[in-house]
Protein backbone atom coordinates (compact mmCIF):
# COMPACT_ATOMS: atom_id res chain seq x y z
CA UNK A 1 0.00 0.00 0.00
CA UNK A 2 1.29 3.47 -0.92
CA UNK A 3 1.99 5.64 2.13
CA UNK A 4 1.45 9.40 1.99
CA UNK A 5 1.68 12.17 4.57
CA UNK A 6 -1.37 14.37 5.23
CA UNK A 7 -2.25 15.98 1.91
CA UNK A 8 -1.68 19.63 1.06
CA UNK A 9 -4.69 20.81 -0.93
CA UNK A 10 -2.96 23.54 -2.87
CA UNK A 11 -6.09 25.04 -4.42
CA UNK A 12 -9.66 25.15 -3.12
CA UNK A 13 -12.44 27.49 -2.07
CA UNK A 14 -14.47 27.55 1.11
CA UNK A 15 -17.74 25.65 1.48
CA UNK A 16 -21.24 27.03 1.72
CA UNK A 17 -22.45 27.54 5.28
CA UNK A 18 -26.12 27.16 4.36
CA UNK A 19 -28.30 24.04 4.41
CA UNK A 20 -29.04 22.76 0.90
CA UNK A 21 -32.00 20.90 -0.54
CA UNK A 22 -31.59 18.14 -3.11
CA UNK A 23 -31.95 20.39 -6.16
CA UNK A 24 -29.68 23.09 -4.77
CA UNK A 25 -27.09 20.53 -3.70
CA UNK A 26 -26.90 18.76 -7.05
CA UNK A 27 -26.57 22.09 -8.87
CA UNK A 28 -23.23 22.57 -7.09
CA UNK A 29 -21.77 19.26 -8.26
CA UNK A 30 -20.57 20.49 -11.64
CA UNK A 31 -20.25 23.81 -13.43
CA UNK A 32 -23.10 24.07 -15.88
CA UNK A 33 -24.91 26.92 -17.60
CA UNK A 34 -28.25 25.15 -17.42
CA UNK A 35 -30.25 22.28 -15.95
CA UNK A 36 -29.41 18.60 -16.45
CA UNK A 37 -30.82 16.63 -19.35
CA UNK A 38 -34.50 15.75 -18.98
CA UNK A 39 -35.03 12.75 -16.74
CA UNK A 40 -31.55 12.99 -15.18
CA UNK A 41 -29.77 14.92 -12.44
CA UNK A 42 -26.22 16.16 -11.99
CA UNK A 43 -25.64 13.13 -9.81
CA UNK A 44 -25.54 11.33 -13.18
CA UNK A 45 -21.93 12.45 -13.71
CA UNK A 46 -18.53 11.12 -12.73
CA UNK A 47 -18.48 13.70 -9.94
CA UNK A 48 -21.91 12.65 -8.71
CA UNK A 49 -21.00 8.98 -8.69
CA UNK A 50 -17.74 9.77 -6.89
CA UNK A 51 -19.64 11.69 -4.20
CA UNK A 52 -21.95 8.69 -3.72
CA UNK A 53 -18.97 6.31 -3.56
CA UNK A 54 -16.76 8.19 -1.10
CA UNK A 55 -18.90 10.50 1.03
CA UNK A 56 -21.70 8.35 2.53
CA UNK A 57 -19.28 6.23 4.62
CA UNK A 58 -17.89 9.42 6.17
CA UNK A 59 -21.41 10.24 7.37
CA UNK A 60 -22.21 6.73 8.57
CA UNK A 61 -23.96 5.36 5.48
CA UNK A 62 -23.12 2.60 3.02
CA UNK A 63 -21.18 3.49 -0.15
CA UNK A 64 -23.32 4.42 -3.16
CA UNK A 65 -26.25 5.52 -1.00
CA UNK A 66 -29.08 7.08 -3.01
CA UNK A 67 -28.89 10.89 -3.24
CA UNK A 68 -32.11 11.44 -1.27
CA UNK A 69 -30.90 9.16 1.53
CA UNK A 70 -27.52 10.87 1.60
CA UNK A 71 -29.06 14.36 1.76
CA UNK A 72 -31.42 13.24 4.54
CA UNK A 73 -28.44 12.07 6.58
CA UNK A 74 -26.67 15.35 5.86
CA UNK A 75 -29.66 17.33 7.15
CA UNK A 76 -29.87 15.08 10.23
CA UNK A 77 -26.25 15.84 11.12
CA UNK A 78 -26.42 19.52 10.17
CA UNK A 79 -24.21 21.52 7.84
CA UNK A 80 -21.40 22.14 10.32
CA UNK A 81 -21.10 18.55 11.55
CA UNK A 82 -21.35 17.13 8.03
CA UNK A 83 -18.54 19.42 6.90
CA UNK A 84 -16.43 18.43 9.90
CA UNK A 85 -16.83 14.70 9.20
CA UNK A 86 -16.21 15.05 5.49
CA UNK A 87 -13.10 17.22 5.82
CA UNK A 88 -11.56 15.23 8.67
CA UNK A 89 -12.16 12.02 6.79
CA UNK A 90 -10.33 13.25 3.71
CA UNK A 91 -6.78 13.05 5.05
CA UNK A 92 -5.91 16.68 4.24
CA UNK A 93 -3.44 18.40 6.55
CA UNK A 94 -3.32 21.86 4.94
CA UNK A 95 -5.54 23.93 2.66
CA UNK A 96 -4.64 26.85 0.40
CA UNK A 97 -7.90 28.75 0.08
CA UNK A 98 -8.89 31.17 -2.68
CA UNK A 99 -10.95 33.78 -0.83
CA UNK A 100 -11.81 35.89 -3.86
CA UNK A 101 -15.15 34.36 -4.86
CA UNK A 102 -18.22 36.20 -3.47
CA UNK A 103 -20.75 34.28 -1.41
CA UNK A 104 -21.45 32.91 2.06
CA UNK A 105 -18.38 30.68 2.16
CA UNK A 106 -16.33 29.41 5.07
CA UNK A 107 -12.97 31.17 5.14
CA UNK A 108 -9.53 29.73 5.83
CA UNK A 109 -9.94 29.77 9.62
CA UNK A 110 -13.27 27.94 9.46
CA UNK A 111 -11.87 25.42 6.98
CA UNK A 112 -8.90 24.82 9.28
CA UNK A 113 -11.15 24.34 12.31
CA UNK A 114 -13.60 22.04 10.53
CA UNK A 115 -10.85 19.95 8.97
CA UNK A 116 -8.45 19.99 11.94
CA UNK A 117 -5.82 21.23 9.49
CA UNK A 118 -3.70 24.22 8.62
CA UNK A 119 -5.14 26.78 6.22
CA UNK A 120 -3.46 29.52 4.21
CA UNK A 121 -4.95 32.25 2.04
CA UNK A 122 -4.38 32.67 -1.68
CA UNK A 123 -5.33 36.20 -2.71
CA UNK A 124 -7.25 36.79 -5.93
CA UNK A 125 -5.68 39.64 -7.88
CA UNK A 126 -8.90 40.85 -9.49
CA UNK A 127 -10.46 41.39 -6.07
CA UNK A 128 -7.56 43.64 -5.05
CA UNK A 129 -8.18 45.79 -8.12
CA UNK A 130 -11.91 46.01 -7.41
CA UNK A 131 -11.30 47.00 -3.79
CA UNK A 132 -8.73 49.61 -4.83
CA UNK A 133 -11.18 51.06 -7.37
CA UNK A 134 -13.88 51.36 -4.72
CA UNK A 135 -11.63 53.62 -2.63
CA UNK A 136 -9.97 55.66 -5.42
CA UNK A 137 -11.28 58.74 -7.18
CA UNK A 138 -8.54 59.16 -9.77
CA UNK A 139 -6.33 56.99 -11.94
CA UNK A 140 -3.11 57.86 -10.05
CA UNK A 141 -4.80 57.12 -6.74
CA UNK A 142 -6.15 53.82 -8.06
CA UNK A 143 -2.76 52.66 -9.35
CA UNK A 144 -1.02 53.70 -6.12
CA UNK A 145 -3.64 52.00 -3.95
CA UNK A 146 -3.47 48.87 -6.09
CA UNK A 147 0.31 48.67 -5.80
CA UNK A 148 0.05 49.06 -2.04
CA UNK A 149 -2.66 46.38 -1.85
CA UNK A 150 -0.53 43.89 -3.79
CA UNK A 151 2.47 44.64 -1.59
CA UNK A 152 0.43 44.27 1.60
CA UNK A 153 -1.17 41.03 0.44
CA UNK A 154 2.23 39.57 -0.41
CA UNK A 155 3.32 39.88 3.21
CA UNK A 156 0.66 37.48 4.48
CA UNK A 157 -0.67 35.31 1.67
CA UNK A 158 0.73 32.00 0.51
CA UNK A 159 0.17 32.83 -3.16
CA UNK A 160 -1.67 35.02 -5.62
CA UNK A 161 -4.32 33.57 -7.88
CA UNK A 162 -6.32 34.93 -10.80
CA UNK A 163 -9.15 33.85 -13.06
CA UNK A 164 -8.98 32.35 -16.52
CA UNK A 165 -9.47 35.77 -18.15
CA UNK A 166 -6.15 36.95 -16.72
CA UNK A 167 -4.46 33.83 -18.06
CA UNK A 168 -5.93 34.50 -21.51
CA UNK A 169 -4.74 38.11 -21.38
CA UNK A 170 -1.20 37.01 -20.49
CA UNK A 171 -1.29 34.40 -23.23
CA UNK A 172 -2.39 36.95 -25.85
CA UNK A 173 0.25 39.56 -24.90
CA UNK A 174 2.87 37.98 -22.65
CA UNK A 175 5.02 41.07 -21.98
CA UNK A 176 4.09 43.58 -19.26
CA UNK A 177 2.01 46.54 -20.51
CA UNK A 178 3.70 49.94 -20.54
CA UNK A 179 2.57 52.62 -18.04
CA UNK A 180 0.70 54.58 -20.68
CA UNK A 181 -1.37 51.57 -21.63
CA UNK A 182 -2.13 50.84 -17.98
CA UNK A 183 -3.15 54.42 -17.23
CA UNK A 184 -5.45 54.56 -20.26
CA UNK A 185 -7.05 51.22 -19.45
CA UNK A 186 -7.52 52.22 -15.80
CA UNK A 187 -9.17 55.50 -16.80
CA UNK A 188 -11.61 53.78 -19.15
CA UNK A 189 -12.48 51.13 -16.57
CA UNK A 190 -12.99 53.60 -13.71
CA UNK A 191 -15.15 55.85 -15.90
CA UNK A 192 -17.63 53.17 -16.88
CA UNK A 193 -17.46 51.01 -13.77
CA UNK A 194 -20.19 50.81 -11.16
CA UNK A 195 -19.19 49.98 -7.61
CA UNK A 196 -18.31 46.29 -7.36
CA UNK A 197 -17.81 45.87 -11.10
CA UNK A 198 -15.36 43.16 -12.15
CA UNK A 199 -12.04 43.71 -13.91
CA UNK A 200 -12.30 42.60 -17.52
CA UNK A 201 -9.86 44.84 -19.40
CA UNK A 202 -6.97 42.65 -20.65
CA UNK A 203 -4.41 45.41 -20.12
CA UNK A 204 -5.38 45.76 -16.46
CA UNK A 205 -5.38 41.99 -16.05
CA UNK A 206 -1.84 41.79 -17.45
CA UNK A 207 -0.82 44.63 -15.12
CA UNK A 208 -2.16 42.65 -12.17
CA UNK A 209 -0.34 39.48 -13.18
CA UNK A 210 2.95 41.27 -13.68
CA UNK A 211 2.54 43.03 -10.34
CA UNK A 212 2.23 39.59 -8.78
CA UNK A 213 5.34 38.42 -10.64
CA UNK A 214 7.28 41.26 -9.04
CA UNK A 215 6.04 40.33 -5.56
CA UNK A 216 7.96 37.05 -5.42
CA UNK A 217 4.95 35.00 -4.31
CA UNK A 218 3.88 31.94 -6.32
CA UNK A 219 1.15 32.70 -8.85
CA UNK A 220 -1.65 30.26 -9.57
CA UNK A 221 -2.78 30.69 -13.17
CA UNK A 222 -6.18 29.34 -14.12
CA UNK A 223 -6.20 27.99 -17.63
CA UNK A 224 -9.94 27.30 -17.57
CA UNK A 225 -11.04 24.91 -20.29
CA UNK A 226 -8.28 26.13 -22.61
CA UNK A 227 -4.94 24.74 -23.62
CA UNK A 228 -2.13 25.77 -21.21
CA UNK A 229 0.29 25.66 -24.16
CA UNK A 230 -1.02 29.14 -25.03
CA UNK A 231 0.82 30.46 -21.97
CA UNK A 232 4.22 29.48 -23.36
CA UNK A 233 5.11 33.08 -24.27
CA UNK A 234 4.27 34.32 -20.78
CA UNK A 235 6.17 31.44 -19.22
CA UNK A 236 9.22 32.34 -21.28
CA UNK A 237 8.89 36.03 -20.39
CA UNK A 238 8.86 35.25 -16.64
CA UNK A 239 11.76 32.80 -16.71
CA UNK A 240 14.59 33.85 -14.40
CA UNK A 241 12.54 36.49 -12.55
CA UNK A 242 12.01 34.40 -9.42
CA UNK A 243 8.27 33.91 -9.85
CA UNK A 244 6.92 30.38 -9.51
CA UNK A 245 3.94 29.67 -11.76
CA UNK A 246 1.43 26.95 -10.87
CA UNK A 247 -0.91 25.99 -13.73
CA UNK A 248 -4.44 25.15 -12.59
CA UNK A 249 -7.13 23.44 -14.63
CA UNK A 250 -6.76 22.91 -18.34
CA UNK A 251 -8.30 19.42 -18.44
CA UNK A 252 -8.42 17.74 -20.95
CA UNK A 253 -5.14 19.52 -21.80
CA UNK A 254 -3.42 18.42 -18.58
CA UNK A 255 -0.60 16.80 -20.56
CA UNK A 256 0.33 20.21 -21.97
CA UNK A 257 0.55 21.66 -18.45
CA UNK A 258 2.81 18.75 -17.51
CA UNK A 259 4.99 19.45 -20.55
CA UNK A 260 5.41 23.11 -19.54
CA UNK A 261 6.33 22.02 -16.03
CA UNK A 262 8.95 19.72 -17.52
CA UNK A 263 10.40 22.38 -19.82
CA UNK A 264 10.65 25.37 -17.43
CA UNK A 265 12.19 25.32 -13.95
CA UNK A 266 9.75 27.86 -12.51
CA UNK A 267 6.56 26.14 -13.73
CA UNK A 268 4.51 23.59 -11.78
CA UNK A 269 1.34 21.73 -12.73
CA UNK A 270 -1.75 20.87 -10.76
CA UNK A 271 -2.30 17.11 -10.59
CA UNK A 272 -5.56 16.95 -8.71
CA UNK A 273 -8.35 19.30 -9.71
CA UNK A 274 -9.51 17.15 -12.65
CA UNK A 275 -9.54 13.92 -10.67
CA UNK A 276 -12.80 14.42 -8.79
CA UNK A 277 -14.47 15.36 -12.07
CA UNK A 278 -13.14 12.28 -13.86
CA UNK A 279 -14.05 9.93 -11.00
CA UNK A 280 -13.58 6.31 -12.02
CA UNK A 281 -11.12 7.40 -14.73
CA UNK A 282 -8.96 9.41 -12.33
CA UNK A 283 -6.06 6.95 -12.28
CA UNK A 284 -5.70 7.17 -16.07
CA UNK A 285 -5.71 10.99 -15.96
CA UNK A 286 -3.15 11.10 -13.15
CA UNK A 287 -0.90 8.60 -14.94
CA UNK A 288 -0.80 10.86 -18.00
CA UNK A 289 0.53 13.76 -15.90
CA UNK A 290 3.08 11.46 -14.25
CA UNK A 291 4.25 10.33 -17.69
CA UNK A 292 5.44 13.82 -18.63
CA UNK A 293 6.24 16.03 -15.66
CA UNK A 294 9.16 15.54 -13.28
CA UNK A 295 7.69 14.23 -10.06
CA UNK A 296 8.88 17.29 -8.14
CA UNK A 297 6.74 19.55 -10.36
CA UNK A 298 3.27 18.09 -9.71
CA UNK A 299 1.01 19.30 -6.87
CA UNK A 300 -2.25 17.89 -5.53
CA UNK A 301 -5.40 19.95 -5.19
CA UNK A 302 -9.06 19.13 -4.78
CA UNK A 303 -10.35 22.28 -6.44
CA UNK A 304 -13.12 21.92 -3.83
CA UNK A 305 -15.77 24.62 -3.94
CA UNK A 306 -19.15 25.23 -2.34
CA UNK A 307 -19.62 21.64 -1.09
CA UNK A 308 -17.31 20.02 1.47
CA UNK A 309 -18.09 16.83 -0.44
CA UNK A 310 -15.98 18.13 -3.33
CA UNK A 311 -13.02 18.76 -1.02
CA UNK A 312 -13.36 15.23 0.35
CA UNK A 313 -13.90 13.55 -3.02
CA UNK A 314 -10.94 15.37 -4.55
CA UNK A 315 -8.67 14.10 -1.78
CA UNK A 316 -10.00 10.55 -1.58
CA UNK A 317 -10.08 10.01 -5.34
CA UNK A 318 -6.52 11.36 -5.56
CA UNK A 319 -5.27 8.96 -2.90
CA UNK A 320 -6.97 6.01 -4.54
CA UNK A 321 -5.73 6.96 -8.03
CA UNK A 322 -2.19 7.57 -6.82
CA UNK A 323 -2.13 4.21 -5.05
CA UNK A 324 -3.48 2.43 -8.09
CA UNK A 325 -0.99 4.01 -10.51
CA UNK A 326 2.16 3.76 -8.40
CA UNK A 327 1.17 0.40 -6.94
CA UNK A 328 0.74 -0.93 -10.45
CA UNK A 329 4.20 0.20 -11.41
CA UNK A 330 5.61 -1.52 -8.34
CA UNK A 331 3.68 -4.70 -9.10
CA UNK A 332 5.11 -4.97 -12.61
CA UNK A 333 8.65 -4.42 -11.35
CA UNK A 334 9.15 -0.93 -12.79
CA UNK A 335 9.40 0.76 -9.38
CA UNK A 336 10.26 -0.19 -5.82
CA UNK A 337 7.94 0.45 -2.88
CA UNK A 338 10.48 2.85 -1.42
CA UNK A 339 10.52 4.96 -4.57
CA UNK A 340 6.74 4.83 -4.87
CA UNK A 341 6.29 6.11 -1.31
CA UNK A 342 8.86 8.86 -1.89
CA UNK A 343 7.17 10.11 -5.07
CA UNK A 344 3.73 9.84 -3.48
CA UNK A 345 4.91 12.05 -0.62
CA UNK A 346 6.23 14.64 -3.10
CA UNK A 347 3.01 14.96 -5.08
CA UNK A 348 0.70 14.65 -2.08
CA UNK A 349 2.33 17.29 0.09
CA UNK A 350 6.07 17.84 -0.19
CA UNK A 351 6.09 19.76 -3.45
CA UNK A 352 3.39 22.16 -2.28
CA UNK A 353 5.13 22.72 1.05
CA UNK A 354 8.30 23.61 -0.83
CA UNK A 355 6.72 25.80 -3.55
CA UNK A 356 4.60 27.81 -1.11
CA UNK A 357 7.17 27.68 1.73
CA UNK A 358 4.50 26.51 4.11
CA UNK A 359 6.88 25.25 6.76
CA UNK A 360 8.28 28.78 7.03
CA UNK A 361 4.75 30.08 7.64
CA UNK A 362 3.78 27.48 10.25
Amino acid sequence: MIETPPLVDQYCHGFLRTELGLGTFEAQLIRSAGPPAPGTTFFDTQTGFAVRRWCPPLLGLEPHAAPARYLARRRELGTAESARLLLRGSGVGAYLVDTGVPGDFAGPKELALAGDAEAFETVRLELLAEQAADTSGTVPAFLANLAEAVHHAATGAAAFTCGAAAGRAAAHAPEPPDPGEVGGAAGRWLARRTRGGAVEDPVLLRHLVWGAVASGLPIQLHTGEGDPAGLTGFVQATAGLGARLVLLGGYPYHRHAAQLAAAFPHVYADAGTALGATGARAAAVLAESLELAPFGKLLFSSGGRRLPELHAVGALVFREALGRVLGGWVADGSWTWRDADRVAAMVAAGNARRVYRLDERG
Side-chain angles (χ1 to χ4, degrees):
M1 179 179 294
I2 301 297
E3 298 291 335
T4 64
L7 305 180
V8 174
D9 187 346
Q10 64 109 19
Y11 184 78
C12 67
H13 299 278
F15 56 85
L16 288 166
R17 299 185 179 98
T18 52
E19 187 64 72
L20 302 174
L22 179 58
T24 309
F25 182 93
E26 69 150 289
Q28 315 302 322
L29 289 172
I30 67 169
R31 293 183 174 93
S32 177
T40 73
T41 79
F42 286 132
F43 274 101
D44 296 322
T45 59
Q46 287 283 10
T47 301
F49 273 46
V51 166
R52 291 179 53 214
R53 160 64 181 89
W54 294 103
C55 295
L58 299 180
L59 302 190
L61 298 176
E62 70 283 357
H64 308 293
R69 176 169 166 75
Y70 177 76
L71 267 293
R73 175 60 174 164
R74 201 179 190 272
R75 286 192 298 274
E76 178 186 337
L77 291 168
T79 301
E81 178 64 6
S82 296
R84 189 185 73 84
L85 292 171
L86 289 162
L87 296 177
R88 295 192 181 195
S90 68
V92 173
Y95 296 94
L96 274 71
V97 187
D98 178 353
T99 57
V101 178
D104 185 25
F105 297 122
K109 290 182 179 179
E110 290 175 85
L111 205 61
L113 182 62
D116 190 24
E118 298 176 280
F120 305 89
E121 183 179 13
T122 61
V123 173
R124 187 165 283 246
L125 291 165
E126 294 92 335
L127 183 60
L128 294 181
E130 292 154 20
Q131 291 171 340
D134 288 340
T135 57
S136 305
T138 65
V139 169
F142 164 68
L143 295 177
N145 289 342
L146 177 58
E148 175 59 27
V150 171
H151 174 75
H152 177 73
T155 63
F160 285 115
T161 189
C162 56
R168 290 193 295 270
H172 179 71
E175 300 295 334
D178 65 50
E181 283 185 282
V182 174
R188 292 189 296 273
W189 181 53
L190 292 174
R192 65 174 182 268
R193 178 180 182 272
T194 58
R195 188 177 181 87
V199 185
E200 298 176 348
D201 188 285
V203 173
L204 285 182
L205 291 171
R206 287 164 54 212
H207 178 66
L208 286 171
V209 172
W210 277 99
V213 169
S215 76
L217 278 189
I219 306 165
Q220 299 175 335
L221 289 172
H222 284 268
T223 59
E225 302 301 320
D227 187 346
L231 285 166
T232 302
F234 178 73
V235 167
Q236 291 171 331
T238 55
L241 299 182
R244 288 149 288 162
L245 309 179
V246 183
L247 305 182
L248 302 175
Y251 180 80
Y253 304 104
H254 51 291
R255 292 173 66 90
H256 293 176
Q259 288 173 323
L260 286 173
F264 294 93
H266 66 305
V267 177
Y268 298 80
D270 181 84
T273 300
L275 301 187
T278 52
R281 289 283 296 164
V285 174
L286 180 59
E288 289 180 344
S289 294
L290 289 165
E291 289 171 5
L292 294 166
F295 307 131
K297 305 298 283 300
L298 294 172
L299 292 76
F300 160 72
S301 78
S302 71
R305 66 194 188 283
R306 298 180 179 271
L307 302 176
E309 282 82 357
L310 298 181
H311 297 76
V313 161
L316 295 170
V317 167
F318 167 77
R319 280 185 184 277
E320 196 271 343
L322 189 66
R324 191 186 304 177
V325 172
L326 300 190
W329 294 343
V330 172
D332 68 18
S334 299
W335 286 33
T336 67
W337 282 114
R338 177 178 296 179
D339 284 337
D341 286 342
R342 186 169 58 85
V343 170
M346 287 184 201
V347 182
N351 294 338
R353 288 198 170 275
R354 184 182 71 254
V355 169
Y356 298 107
R357 298 173 179 161
L358 298 186
D359 293 334
E360 299 174 22
R361 299 174 178 277

